[in-house]
Amino acid sequence: MIVRFNRWYNAVLTALLSMLGYGCDESSLDMYGTPVTEYGTPYAEYRVKGQVTDESGVPINGIKTSAKNIVISSISGEHGFGLDSVQTDASGQFAVSFRCSPRNSETKLIVEDIDGAANGGEFLSDTLDVEFDKAVQTTKGDGWYEGSFEITQDVKMKKKP
C-alpha cells in the first residue's frame, strides 16, 4: 500500500512541478547545444569590457576575446557554448555581451592571439573566470529579468617563449 501511495504521490508531484516550470533533469542545453531557459529561471544581461595588454602594459590589437558558458550536469557531463566573440581594437579594448544566469553555470573569458607574429608578437592563449562579483548594475530588472550589468576585466597576455 505504501509503495502504491509513493508512486501516486511522485506522479502527482512531478506533474505539478512541471506545470510550474521546474525541469526534471539537470541539463540546460537542448539537443543542438542551445541554452534552454525554463520558466522561473532568473537571468541578466552582462557586458564584459576591458583592455588586453602585454606584460609591459602595451595594448595589443587583433586579440580574439570570447565569452564561453560552461554548464556542468551530473547527467550529461560538462557542456560549453560560446556566447560572444570580438577582436580587440588598436588600443586593445574589447567588449563582449551575453545573457546568462551566473547561479546555474560558469562563464569563462578566453583570449587568443589569432594573427600570429603580427601586432606585437605571438602571445599565449589564456582562460579567465568572468568576475561576476565586480559587476555594476546599469539597468534595473523586473521579475525574472534581473537587469543589465557591466564588468571591467583587463587582461595581461604573456609572449610565447
Side-chain angles (χ1 to χ4, degrees):
M1 184 70 170
I2 298 240
V3 172
R4 197 187 265 175
F5 175 76
N6 283 341
R7 285 185 186 167
W8 176 83
Y9 178 77
N10 287 338
V12 170
L13 188 61
T14 300
L16 287 174
L17 289 175
S18 66
M19 284 189 275
L20 292 173
Y22 293 96
C24 295
D25 70 346
E26 295 179 40
S27 176
S28 64
L29 301 177
D30 69 9
M31 61 190 277
Y32 303 107
T34 306
V36 177
T37 303
E38 296 178 25
Y39 173 80
T41 303
Y43 71 95
E45 293 175 1
Y46 291 91
R47 182 171 185 256
V48 179
K49 66 178 189 167
Q51 183 179 38
V52 177
T53 61
D54 63 13
E55 291 177 298
S56 61
V58 177
I60 309 171
N61 184 23
I63 298 295
K64 181 181 175 185
T65 308
S66 308
K68 187 172 185 178
N69 207 353
I70 307 297
V71 178
I72 301 170
S73 168
S74 63
I75 295 171
S76 54
E78 183 175 298
H79 295 284
F81 53 91
L83 299 170
D84 192 10
S85 180
V86 297
Q87 286 189 344
T88 57
D89 62 14
S91 62
Q93 300 292 321
F94 71 91
V96 293
S97 299
F98 55 91
R99 177 183 289 182
C100 76
S101 176
R103 296 178 189 89
N104 301 336
S105 59
E106 195 174 292
T107 305
K108 302 285 186 181
L109 187 65
I110 302 165
V111 289
E112 302 170 276
D113 183 2
I114 58 172
D115 63 7
N119 293 316
E122 293 186 66
F123 297 90
L124 297 171
S125 296
D126 200 2
T127 302
L128 307 136
D129 290 326
V130 172
E131 298 173 348
F132 286 105
D133 56 333
K134 293 184 177 180
V136 175
Q137 191 167 24
T138 57
T139 305
K140 285 278 190 196
D142 183 28
W144 293 115
Y145 173 61
E146 296 181 341
S148 298
F149 295 83
E150 192 167 88
I151 301 167
T152 301
Q153 193 163 348
D154 294 332
V155 180
K156 287 195 182 290
M157 294 187 74
K158 296 179 181 177
K159 284 200 174 193
K160 283 187 177 177

